[in-house]
Amino acid sequence: MGEQTVTPREGRDQVVRPSVTAGADVAPPPRPRRLGRLRTPRRPRLWFEILLIAVSYWTYSLVRNAVPEQRTAALNNADWLWRMEHHLGMAFEESVNHAVNSVTWLIVGMNYYYATLHFVVTLGVLVWLFRSHPGRYAATRLVLFATTAVALLGYYLYPLAPPRLMTGGDFVDTVMVHQTWGSMASGDLKHMSNQYAAMPSMHIGWSVWCGLTIFALASLPWVRILGLLYPVATLVVIVATANHFWLDAVGGLLCLAFGFAVARLWYGVQPYALPRTVPGKT
């Protein structure tokens, strides 16, 4: 028998592998589905938002008031802050407090402003966002919640007495003098709130959040102007009523900047750049 030569067919046992051509479009790896869903704006649900806001504010109040009052440290910090403002040549709170206190109707109005608009305007802006800008609601709400959450660290780490409680100052506690309901930390309500949680000022943090949101999203020019004036008026009020130093307002702005950074990292864009509306299905 002669030798038999077997010639294998080309490609019989070869594995064909796709080649990648340089410069060809390659699809990026898909983002985790769960994370993608969480980051996608969706229509807010009313019952959930009411519950979330109520629970969040209750938790915020509970934690804020549970922080040890640390009276000695708070008064020492207030003295140091007051000296720092004098060193900067910007210790104007006492002059504003006395000047406004001399006009009874004005200071009484400011007392009620301090006690009410802080909540009324903030809730009003949330309702407006919910109804008119549902696609931006969750992201903008996240800014507010993150701002408030980081403020709790300030209350714990840096107890600070408001100017009206300083032992070495000559500030007027306008609520006590005029017998108005103007502060959760004065008069008959002082036992319901931590009086030494003045830094940072959430009156400023929340009011600037409201002002920026109104300015960015409102369509009427005069409404946008009112949005910008609101935090300015709030700054005057918190100083005139001796509830805050102006440096407390700086602390509030830093907390707000943190809130915007959190929303930017989570959604990839600033809240106001998101679509105004979203599909109805949640």
Side-chain angles (χ1 to χ4, degrees), residues 167-192:
T167 54
D170 190 27
F171 290 93
V172 177
D173 188 335
T174 59
V175 171
M176 294 293 292
V177 169
H178 298 281
Q179 296 298 303
T180 58
W181 182 70
S183 172
M184 286 294 292
S186 292
D188 295 334
L189 300 175
K190 64 183 178 181
H191 300 297
M192 297 174 60

Side-chain angles (χ1 to χ4, degrees), residues 22-225:
D25 292 335
V26 179
R31 189 168 55 179
R33 295 180 63 185
R34 178 179 293 273
L35 185 59
R37 287 198 301 268
L38 290 174
R39 286 177 167 175
T40 301
R42 60 186 65 193
R43 183 174 296 277
R45 290 166 289 185
L46 181 59
W47 68 266
F48 177 78
E49 294 304 324
I50 293 175
L51 180 63
L52 179 63
I53 291 172
V55 171
S56 299
Y57 183 73
W58 176 80
T59 304
Y60 165 76
S61 299
L62 184 68
V63 173
R64 181 180 186 270
N65 297 334
V67 173
E69 289 199 344
Q70 305 179 61
R71 180 176 184 273
T72 301
L75 290 173
N76 288 339
N77 288 336
D79 289 338
W80 181 88
L81 206 65
W82 189 228
R83 291 195 302 270
M84 173 62 69
E85 291 189 355
H86 276 283
H87 178 73
L88 295 173
M90 300 182 68
F92 53 78
E93 291 93 337
E94 192 172 287
S95 299
V96 174
N97 174 238
H98 283 240
V100 178
N101 184 65
S102 64
V103 184
T104 302
W105 65 267
L106 182 58
I107 194 60
V108 168
M110 287 189 174
N111 284 342
Y112 288 121
Y113 180 115
Y114 184 87
T116 59
L117 291 192
H118 178 52
F119 306 103
V120 172
V121 175
T122 304
L123 287 175
V125 172
L126 282 170
V127 171
W128 172 60
L129 284 170
F130 181 91
R131 291 175 59 88
S132 301
H133 298 268
R136 298 161 179 156
Y137 175 85
T140 312
R141 182 200 61 200
L142 176 60
V143 174
L144 183 66
F145 279 31
T147 298
T148 306
V150 75
L152 292 173
L153 290 176
Y155 301 145
Y156 184 84
L157 297 175
Y158 193 76
L160 181 70
R164 58 185 174 75
L165 291 182
M166 287 180 62
T167 54
D170 190 27
F171 290 93
V172 177
D173 188 335
T174 59
V175 171
M176 294 293 292
V177 169
H178 298 281
Q179 296 298 303
T180 58
W181 182 70
S183 172
M184 286 294 292
S186 292
D188 295 334
L189 300 175
K190 64 183 178 181
H191 300 297
M192 297 174 60
S193 179
N194 184 354
Q195 298 187 78
Y196 303 111
M199 171 67 86
S201 169
M202 281 299 92
H203 272 75
I204 292 300
W206 289 13
S207 66
V208 174
W209 175 86
C210 291
L212 291 177
T213 301
I214 292 171
F215 180 77
L217 302 180
S219 57
L220 297 176
W222 66 268
V223 174
R224 300 179 70 199
I225 293 173

Side-chain angles (χ1 to χ4, degrees), residues 4 18 21 32 66 73 191 198 200-202 204 210 239 255 259 262 264 276:
Q4 186 176 5
T21 305
H191 300 297
S201 169
M202 281 299 92
I204 292 300
C210 291
V239 170
C255 291
V262 169
R264 177 67 174 80
R276 177 174 181 170

